[in-house]
Amino acid sequence: MSVEPQKPRQACCSKLKLFLVSLAFAYFAKAFGGSYMKSSITQIERRFDIPSSLTGVIDGGFEMGNLLVIAFVSYFGAKLHRPRLIGIGCLLMATGSFLTALPHFFQGRYKYETSMSHNSQVNSTANTLPCLSNQSLAEQDKAPDLEQMRDCEKAAGSSMWIYVFLGNMLRGIGETPVMPLGISYMDDFSKEENTPFYLACIHTVGILGPMVGFMMGSFLAKIYVDIGFTDLETITITHRDSRWVGAWWLGFIVSGTVMLLASIPFFFLSKTLPKEGEEENKSTELTALAEQENFLPEEAIGAEEKEKPVTFKEMVKDFVPSLRRLFKNSIFSLMILTNLVAVNGFIGMITFKPKFMEQTYGQSASRAIFLIGIMNLPAVALGFITGGFVMKRFKLGVVGASRMSISASLGAFSLFAVQIFLHCDNAEVAGLTVSYQGAPQVSYSQQTLLSQCNMGCSCSLKHWDPVCAYNGMTYASPCLAGCQTSSGSGRAMVFNNCTCITEAMTPAANTSAVLGQCSRKSDCDRKFKIYMALSVLGAFISACGGTPGYIVLLRSIQPDLKSLALGMQTLIVRTLGGIPPPIYFGALIDRTCLKWGTKQCGGRGACRLYNANAFRITFLGLISGLYLVANMLWGCLYLRIVKRQKKLELRKQAKEGALEGNAVSNGHANISIAKNKEDTNDESTI
């Protein structure tokens, strides 16, 4: 009686599965940190009193960090221990996050800009005199002494934003190995048919990071920056005020801890893994790269077979020739250009979208961030998983994937273009967007803040301390509203006998005003709901094309150049698509500012009020233009892919015909396939 040999027990989870879980968590951690930075841009701008263009530079620090090392990490990292390099990258990201939070502990308490009318006796219920008839305008607005300003800025820590910039740059350096080395490692050791699904799963888990990041950003934006160190009863502003700063620093400590945890598993993974499915079926070795071998030139297939261990000197020597081979691939080059233009629009949009929702639709910064996290990002996650499922279910090839990707891009662009025509009217601010009589303001200068009703008050024109009158109009300060007395304390303070309120076209029942800006008109909420519906649907459709687009990129490059190609894509897209957009978007948005804040030491601070219509046209118009160019490039890319696929099919048919002809004629027909070495497409000749 023969006894069959017992099969070796298989582990419940393969090493590839463990790597996929670790990579997904690393994607979550890096996306969590990146999205929290995006959600904190407004808070950082207000805390350090800097313009949007400078916050764009800070935001671009991440991409600058990538630029420093991406090419070398992608090329040399592919020859080294990839999981361990990813682990080191996660440690660097954690260090960068902790460094970003550091300025909070070295700066003094946050002192928001306020007028003297209710700053000195905030806890007092005694009447004060907002209309400062005993002070001169020159005394209020005079330029401070340069030496005093220098000493004041040093004490206030106005240059501490540099630590935020350096921390973001270090986080960018650490993020470098995660994508190119992680995706290439996964693609090298997974089944061909499983790659789209694994990719979709990783991106879906990764998109949970931005969801958590934006929701935490929304929660912390409502908590005062100096929580635990300041008596909140003395704070006269709310989280809806443009001077409010949330506890931005706390989120970076949390995200840094998550990145630290994400680094641990990678130090226990091996350098190489067995090809997925080899244990079950050895024949898969012959078919694993079937589609890619059909789509790539024959010389690329032969290059993989010749691969052998190389020294570091040989790797350096082969770097430039490898780059030349990579960029001679026209599909790869065109794909990079398309992604570059699209990413310019996307980065500009995601960086300033919370501010756009705040200024155009009157949403608070915390609510804008919350809605992005709870509505837009789940739609993106669903789109990624849908795109991966469709690819796997219908077994789409390169042409099918490109067709799906361009369709999604066109659909998303159409929905985005509609959003340009949705808008609310400007907030009614006397002397800025409307006159003191309520008529639309044609032009603006510092002097338009003055009127007959407040001329005798000697008000400062620099301060932004808005009050809302009962007629729905906002005034830049209680003094500029002509208020004579005040009562109450803290946020409950009420200003009475405001002479400018009686000048409005719609006189109020009383002449009182309360702290803060007035809410937008009721129809603005309805328009905002339509905007959010279009935004969510567009995000879903756009994300459906994400996985197919990535598959087109992976299948159009030679296997031995895969890590380098992904690294170069990241380098170029991050450098030209990640660094410039926040800067030039921020600079253009700054041009729509109507009222700048004043720094504690004098000088121009952060913008307090924008021209909502100019903001909308600048912001959405620029993004729409970039997306239009990206769609045109996608069309050219699709035609190029179809052309190459047809050539490859003709070559395949010619080979089959040659074999059949040789068999039938028994060698009388002389049919050969000649390959032109200089043609990267390897066109067939008969």
Side-chain angles (χ1 to χ4, degrees), residues 115-419:
S115 64
M116 296 303 293
S117 58
H118 61 277
N119 188 41
S120 58
Q121 294 180 314
V122 124
N123 290 323
S124 173
T125 56
N127 288 356
T128 57
L129 297 173
C131 187
L132 303 174
S133 55
N134 60 339
Q135 295 187 24
S136 68
L137 184 65
E139 186 181 341
Q140 283 284 310
D141 289 343
K142 69 177 182 179
D145 182 77
L146 288 177
E147 189 174 341
Q148 289 179 352
M149 184 187 293
R150 210 174 289 118
D151 293 339
C152 179
E153 286 184 351
K154 187 177 180 181
S158 61
S159 299
M160 296 293 281
W161 60 267
I162 294 172
Y163 287 94
V164 181
F165 172 77
L166 293 175
N168 205 29
M169 180 181 284
L170 188 59
R171 196 170 56 82
I173 293 172
E175 193 261 359
T176 304
V178 178
M179 193 280 286
L181 301 188
I183 297 299
S184 63
Y185 188 89
M186 180 269 297
D187 195 47
D188 285 347
F189 303 115
S190 65
K191 283 185 180 179
E192 173 98 4
E193 61 268 24
N194 289 339
T195 300
F197 184 70
Y198 289 157
L199 249 167
C201 289
I202 289 170
H203 282 297
T204 302
V205 174
I207 210 69
L208 294 176
M211 287 173 60
V212 177
F214 273 98
M215 291 179 73
M216 188 172 74
S218 172
F219 173 72
L220 293 178
K222 292 182 180 179
I223 299 175
Y224 191 64
V225 61
D226 293 320
I227 183 73
F229 299 97
T230 302
D231 182 8
L232 298 181
E233 294 297 321
T234 65
I235 306 301
T236 60
I237 57 176
T238 68
H239 69 276
R240 299 186 68 88
D241 196 288
S242 61
R243 295 164 293 169
W244 175 274
V245 176
W248 61 275
W249 54 274
L250 195 55
F252 288 106
I253 294 176
V254 175
S255 64
T257 306
V258 172
M259 291 168 188
L260 195 63
L261 294 173
S263 69
I264 297 172
F266 292 102
F267 292 102
F268 299 95
L269 289 164
S270 57
K271 184 178 179 180
T272 59
L273 296 175
K275 186 76 174 179
E276 187 182 27
E278 279 187 352
E279 301 89 350
E280 301 169 6
N281 185 5
K282 294 288 184 182
S283 64
T284 55
E285 294 178 9
L286 302 175
T287 58
L289 297 175
E291 183 188 357
Q292 189 166 8
E293 288 180 354
N294 286 334
F295 190 66
L296 290 172
E298 288 178 7
E299 61 181 22
I301 300 167
E304 189 181 17
E305 295 170 358
K306 297 173 186 175
E307 190 176 350
K308 60 181 180 180
V310 290
T311 63
F312 183 79
K313 185 178 179 181
E314 288 173 326
M315 284 194 292
V316 174
K317 188 178 179 181
D318 190 49
F319 182 66
V320 174
S322 295
L323 277 179
R324 193 178 297 115
R325 282 174 57 208
L326 183 62
F327 284 101
K328 282 177 72 176
N329 186 333
S330 58
I331 289 182
F332 174 78
S333 300
L334 197 53
M335 190 94 187
I336 292 293
L337 186 59
T338 305
N339 287 344
L340 179 60
V341 177
V343 167
N344 263 264
F346 175 77
I347 293 295
M349 178 184 69
I350 200 66
T351 303
F352 295 106
K353 187 170 185 175
K355 180 177 281 191
F356 169 75
M357 293 164 67
E358 185 181 354
Q359 295 294 329
T360 304
Y361 294 102
Q363 304 300 309
S364 67
S366 60
R367 187 163 190 260
I369 295 165
F370 176 77
L371 289 173
I372 292 172
I374 204 70
M375 297 182 71
N376 285 78
L377 296 178
V380 171
L382 186 60
F384 272 124
I385 201 73
T386 302
F389 175 77
V390 170
M391 286 282 296
K392 184 175 174 67
R393 173 68 178 81
F394 296 101
K395 295 182 173 60
L396 296 180
V398 177
V399 176
S402 60
R403 190 178 294 126
M404 182 177 175
S405 195
I406 191 174
S407 299
S409 181
L410 285 168
F413 170 72
S414 301
L415 289 173
F416 189 85
V418 176
Q419 297 173 23

Side-chain angles (χ1 to χ4, degrees), residues 361 414 416-424 527 534 616 620:
Y361 294 102
S414 301
F416 189 85
V418 176
Q419 297 173 23
I420 300 177
F421 304 100
L422 284 172
H423 65 93
C424 298
K527 292 177 180 177
L534 290 171
R616 172 180 55 86
L620 296 183

Side-chain angles (χ1 to χ4, degrees), residues 436 453 471 475 481 498-508 510-511:
Y436 277 84
C453 61
N471 60 0
Y475 295 87
C498 304
T499 56
C500 291
I501 295 176
T502 58
E503 282 198 8
M505 293 173 64
T506 54
N510 59 51
T511 57

Side-chain angles (χ1 to χ4, degrees), residues 16 92 141 235 295 316 401 408 477 491 494 501 595 600 682:
L16 179 64
L92 287 174
D141 289 343
I235 306 301
F295 190 66
V316 174
S477 70
R491 296 175 188 173
V494 177
I501 295 176
K595 182 71 175 95
Q600 182 184 342
D682 297 305

Side-chain angles (χ1 to χ4, degrees), residues 428 434-440 473 503-505:
E428 293 186 351
V434 293
S435 68
Y436 277 84
Q437 290 73 37
M473 187 179 291
E503 282 198 8
M505 293 173 64

